[in-house]
């Protein structure tokens, strides 16, 4: 596969606590969004992608392996937080995509997202593990209210916050021309799905990646912003 990675500290935060992993040859990609005071978020998100890399490197795509990697990342982060009080309370999201010959495997915890652009439509593939997403699913708030909700940054699942974690595992058939977007909430909170779609359908992946980043910064850049675009070589016009 081919991929483009963009990450930016944004306009408000002092540190970039997002981590990213992109291995084109292995067709494996991940984003992680860390939280916790004084650089702890950065530690948590980098531990998560490192655990994923170490566990899945040189292996064949497999959802059980992905779940093991997530569980291992969870244990490593929660143990590290127990041992060092400066790291107490740290945690991270992680969302990973691994392409096989026929399908795409996704493992996911938190509110980072996978989107698929297919047939000119951008659709969110993962469910957010957040208070706002739960309220939306129950029909208690509208999408408009969700964007301004005081709890919009509160996630209900993360790696590192408890000794065990439930990992969402998904498999999707793939089609020629699919374009995958992985991102942290620093992008998806700044732009609507339709705004992202408009850029992705009208620009090459390289230009779209730059435009997504630029628009997120222009919209305020209140959080760290990370995105990966991934596609199959020759299927999407570069
Ligand atoms: Ca974030």
């Amino acid at each position: 596969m081919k991929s483009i990675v963009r990450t930016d500290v944004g306009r408000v935060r002092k540190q970039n606590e997002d981590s990213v992993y992109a291995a084109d040859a292995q067709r494996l990609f991940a984003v992680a969004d860390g939280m916790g005071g004084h650089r702890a978020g950065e530690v948590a998100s980098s531990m998560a992608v490192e655990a994923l890399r170490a566990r899945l490197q040189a292996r064949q795509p497999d959802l059980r392996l992905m779940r093991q990697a997530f569980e291992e990342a969870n244990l490593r982060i929660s143990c590290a937080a127990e041992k060092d009080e400066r790291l107490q309370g740290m945690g991270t999201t992680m969302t990973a995509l691994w392409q096989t010959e026929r399908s795409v495997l996704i493992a996911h915890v938190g509110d980072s997202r996978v989107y698929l652009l297919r047939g000119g439509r951008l659709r969110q593939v993962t469910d957010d593990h957040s208070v706002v997403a739960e309220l939306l699913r129950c029909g208690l708030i509208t999408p408009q209210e969700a964007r301004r909700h005081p709890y919009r940054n509160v996630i209900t699942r993360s790696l590192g916050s408890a000794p065990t974690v439930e990992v969402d595992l998904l498999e999707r058939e793939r089609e020629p021309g699919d374009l995958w977007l992985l991102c942290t909430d620093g992008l998806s909170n700044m732009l609507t799905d339709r705004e992202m779609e408009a850029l992705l359908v009208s620009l090459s992946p390289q230009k779209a990646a730059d435009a997504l980043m630029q628009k997120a910064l222009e919209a305020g850049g209140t959080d760290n912003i990370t995105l990966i675009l991934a596609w199959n070589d020759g299927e999407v016009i570069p």
Side-chain angles (χ1 to χ4, degrees), residues 13 18 33-34 111 153 184-186 189 223-225:
R13 302 284 177 91
D18 289 352
D33 178 349
D111 66 351
N153 296 320
T184 58
D185 67 340
N189 280 339
D223 195 358
N224 307 143
I225 305 157

Side-chain angles (χ1 to χ4, degrees), residues 190-227:
M190 290 293 114
L191 300 181
T192 66
D193 292 3
R194 297 288 76 83
E195 287 170 327
M196 294 196 278
E197 179 185 88
L199 296 172
L200 289 165
V201 295
S202 60
L203 298 170
S204 67
Q206 281 85 352
K207 286 188 173 144
D210 290 332
L212 286 168
M213 180 59 78
Q214 193 189 331
K215 296 271 181 198
L217 289 167
E218 283 169 9
T222 55
D223 195 358
N224 307 143
I225 305 157
T226 298
L227 67 105

Side-chain angles (χ1 to χ4, degrees), residues 14 24 35 38 45 49 57 87 90 100 139 153 157 167 188 192 209 217:
K14 289 200 166 59
D24 290 8
M35 64 216 84
H38 194 68
S45 69
V49 296
Q57 200 176 32
L87 301 177
M90 72 173 171
T100 75
N153 296 320
R157 265 194 248 175
V167 183
S188 51
T192 66
L217 289 167

Side-chain angles (χ1 to χ4, degrees), residues 127-195:
D127 290 327
D128 296 345
H129 303 139
S130 68
V131 171
V132 161
E134 301 289 348
L135 292 171
L136 266 174
R137 274 195 283 276
C138 298
L140 295 172
I141 57 171
T142 66
Q144 288 72 29
E145 288 168 332
R147 297 193 75 79
R148 289 181 185 79
H149 201 279
Y151 295 157
R152 66 186 174 279
N153 296 320
V154 180
I155 60 175
T156 49
R157 265 194 248 175
S158 65
L159 298 179
S161 49
T164 60
V165 65
E166 187 189 348
V167 183
D168 280 5
L169 300 170
L170 312 169
E171 180 165 14
R172 291 284 180 273
E173 297 251 312
R174 68 183 193 89
E175 287 183 10
D178 285 347
L179 179 69
W180 298 91
L181 166 65
L182 285 77
C183 68
T184 58
D185 67 340
L187 181 71
S188 51
N189 280 339
M190 290 293 114
L191 300 181
T192 66
D193 292 3
R194 297 288 76 83
E195 287 170 327

